[in-house]
Amino acid sequence: MRTRRLNDLPAALEAGLTAIEASLEKAEPRTRGILLKRAGDLCASMGEGRRALVWYGRAVDQYLELRDTAAAGLICRMILHVHPDAVRARCTLCWIDIAAGRHEQAAARVWEYAEAAGKAGQQQIAAQQLGAMFDAAGEGPLRERIVFALLRLGEGEHAGRLSQRHDPAADAQPGAAAQVWSQLMEGTSSPAGVLAAA
């Protein structure tokens, strides 16, 4: 009996995902986010963590398109619960904090992002992201943390270039909200994606 139930799991999962896919075609944008998260939850509940990441990643993209950073951030934290080494989820959380002006939180997350990216062998992608975050962050301590994160990744040359560009007079002048949002969308839509993991 138990064996039959276990064997039924893949069929139940596929049926559930097929039904969600069918609903997605006609769904409004916000409903799409809910459905994509539901598909991720279904995969996670059936032990399909990798597949859950794909669906959660699509949900994050959907919520970012809606500029709903609270929902996108929540799903990124769910991704980290399913897969603690997910790199782009950490990257996206950094960008969300920078866009919201939460520089203290962003500084802590930058360090975690650099560590995860280093473990996953994504130093070059992370260096590009951190460079863009440096430009978007108009705040000294956050910029300093970004430079240290680059050093931690072994990107000393890049860190040195950013340090030379650092202008304390500009610290009080973060990028315009529209520009930071544009950088967030560009930074979170790379092929490495929310799904990137070690």
Side-chain angles (χ1 to χ4, degrees), residues 13-150:
L13 176 60
E14 295 309 324
L17 294 177
T18 299
I20 289 171
E21 277 284 12
S23 300
L24 282 171
E25 292 178 17
K26 303 172 201 162
E28 295 297 318
R30 186 153 300 279
T31 304
R32 284 179 61 80
I34 293 166
L35 289 168
L36 291 165
K37 179 191 170 293
R38 187 176 298 158
D41 291 344
L42 180 61
C43 291
S45 72
M46 295 195 178
E48 293 284 342
R50 280 286 196 197
R51 291 181 76 182
L53 290 177
V54 175
W55 291 97
Y56 286 147
R58 289 175 63 188
V60 169
D61 291 341
Q62 182 65 47
Y63 282 122
L64 287 176
E65 284 180 25
L66 293 168
R67 292 190 175 225
D68 187 344
T69 55
L74 175 66
I75 296 173
C76 283
R77 289 188 292 278
M78 291 178 69
I79 288 169
L80 293 174
H81 180 74
V82 173
H83 202 305
D85 294 328
V87 177
R88 189 178 164 225
R90 293 190 186 281
C91 179
T92 300
L93 288 170
C94 289
W95 275 114
I96 288 172
D97 284 339
I98 291 169
R102 295 189 294 264
H103 291 162
E104 253 182 67
Q105 277 182 251
R109 291 194 195 280
V110 157
W111 201 251
E112 294 167 357
Y113 167 52
E115 186 174 17
K119 285 180 184 174
Q122 295 185 18
Q123 290 88 340
Q124 288 185 334
I125 293 171
Q128 292 171 1
Q129 290 286 348
L130 291 167
M133 289 177 194
F134 183 94
D135 291 336
E139 200 255 9
L142 175 54
R143 285 184 161 189
E144 289 171 16
R145 181 59 67 94
I146 289 169
V147 168
F148 283 122
L150 284 164

